[in-house]
Amino acid sequence: MRRLVWSLMSVAALALAGCSNSSQPSEGGSEGNAAQTPAQANQITGQVTLRDATQVSASAKLELTLVDQTTPDAAPLATKTVEPANTFPLQFQVPFNAADVNPNDMYVIKATLIDGDRHYNPPLQTMVLTKGAPTQVSIQLAAEQTQGEKELAAFTAVQKQIGGMKISSGTKLEDKVSRGWQVFREAGEVKFIREEVDYGDKGFTSTDYAYKDGKPWVVVQQKKSSKDAKPSSTERAAWAQDGSLVLKTHDAGGKTSPLSDDDAASLQKQSQTILGLATNGKGK
């Protein structure tokens, strides 16, 4: 009888122990799974590199923008500016509010490096966040032409076409200065003037002037000790349609440096002077 009582007591104790254990969450229960669920991403991270081994200045800055590509007019989800941005590869983090992300939309992280007049942009867009796109990316930037370089390239294209334009010429003798020019017209409008000026023992200049709508557009002037000598320097200046100066360079001794604003203004004045001289003040 005593053995039966002890056996019943043992069974009851085990039953109570089982009830006590079942009230605690197991490692495989819902609370355990919740603890293992990763937090939703709240920043875009990555690195930026340059396609070419280009030196950028200490004033360069990197602008990063997270935008909803599905709704282009919407305000950016996040923006960040990194400066100075002159050491590459450059690491970045762009925090954003995860609640603003619509899983059905497409998102892009835009990166632009700005160094003076030069901009660097990626050839392809960098998708992030949704539709399988990552939150950690690598972005490669390529240099784009400056406005001045674009004008100079367009000038070179016109320069190659002057052989098919209507040509007229003229000369003028001044005190110790001999001046000659050729005017190139298309559809009755002056497109190009090539001028040579002999200053005697003070040197010689050969200058190409290009015009748009009767206004100075691009000037390239070579300075020499004499007509047959090699150029000692080459100055270039270009103006946008609104008249703003977008190119000013001075090449001498194998080095390029900025042309001063005064020298650029002098080239512009020379362009206006020869246009008036070559067209008898008509400008065309």
Side-chain angles (χ1 to χ4, degrees):
M1 184 68 177
R2 180 173 297 178
R3 288 181 179 178
L4 179 60
V5 172
W6 279 110
S7 296
L8 292 172
M9 291 177 63
S10 299
V11 171
L14 289 172
L16 288 172
C19 292
S20 175
N21 288 339
S22 66
S23 65
Q24 300 297 322
S26 66
E27 291 184 0
S30 60
E31 293 186 13
N33 285 341
Q36 293 176 4
T37 301
Q40 189 172 0
N42 60 1
Q43 67 176 0
I44 304 297
T45 62
Q47 69 174 10
V48 171
T49 58
L50 297 183
R51 171 178 289 182
D52 301 314
T54 305
Q55 289 288 100
V56 299
S57 72
S59 62
K61 63 180 180 179
L62 177 67
E63 294 184 348
L64 297 155
T65 310
L66 178 61
V67 298
D68 186 346
Q69 194 75 348
T70 310
T71 313
D73 296 334
L77 272 70
T79 60
K80 186 172 184 179
T81 299
V82 180
E83 54 184 331
N86 60 338
T87 302
F88 296 90
L90 190 152
Q91 309 297 322
F92 70 85
Q93 302 87 32
V94 181
F96 62 92
N97 184 359
D100 293 337
V101 177
N102 184 340
N104 296 318
D105 288 355
M106 297 178 65
Y107 295 88
V108 170
I109 183 74
K110 294 184 176 181
T112 299
L113 180 69
I114 302 171
D115 187 18
D117 293 335
R118 179 84 61 195
H119 285 215
Y120 299 77
N121 283 297
L124 299 174
Q125 292 183 332
T126 305
M127 309 300 295
V128 293
L129 288 177
T130 59
K131 303 184 183 299
T135 57
Q136 184 172 6
V137 295
S138 179
I139 303 174
Q140 188 179 67
L141 303 180
E144 296 183 346
Q145 281 187 316
T146 65
Q147 183 62 34
E149 288 170 341
K150 291 177 182 178
E151 301 294 351
L152 190 59
F155 163 84
T156 301
V158 172
Q159 193 177 42
K160 293 177 180 179
Q161 298 170 1
I162 62 175
M165 298 181 187
K166 184 178 180 180
I167 305 174
S168 61
S169 60
T171 59
K172 184 178 181 180
L173 295 177
E174 303 170 355
D175 184 25
K176 298 182 180 180
V177 176
S178 175
R179 190 183 304 271
W181 61 83
Q182 287 181 308
V183 181
F184 301 83
R185 292 180 174 88
E186 187 176 62
E189 182 180 348
V190 175
K191 295 291 186 179
F192 207 90
I193 295 178
R194 177 162 288 165
E195 179 191 41
E196 292 185 340
V197 183
D198 191 343
Y199 295 94
D201 57 4
K202 292 185 179 180
F204 186 95
T205 62
S206 176
T207 312
D208 284 347
Y209 304 92
Y211 302 85
K212 278 187 178 180
D213 300 324
K215 298 178 181 178
W217 170 35
V218 179
V219 178
V220 177
Q221 184 172 88
Q222 293 182 335
K223 294 183 178 180
K224 310 176 184 181
S225 59
S226 64
K227 181 177 181 178
D228 297 326
K230 293 182 178 180
S232 58
S233 68
T234 302
E235 296 179 347
R236 299 178 179 87
W239 297 266
Q241 197 66 28
D242 62 2
S244 59
L245 181 64
V246 295
L247 176 71
K248 50 177 184 176
T249 63
H250 175 86
D251 295 347
K255 296 181 179 180
T256 300
S257 59
L259 183 68
S260 71
D261 288 344
D262 287 345
D263 286 340
S266 175
L267 291 179
Q268 187 177 40
K269 185 176 180 180
Q270 291 177 49
S271 181
Q272 294 165 335
T273 299
I274 188 60
L275 179 62
L277 181 62
T279 62
N280 295 318
K282 296 177 181 179
K284 61 180 181 179

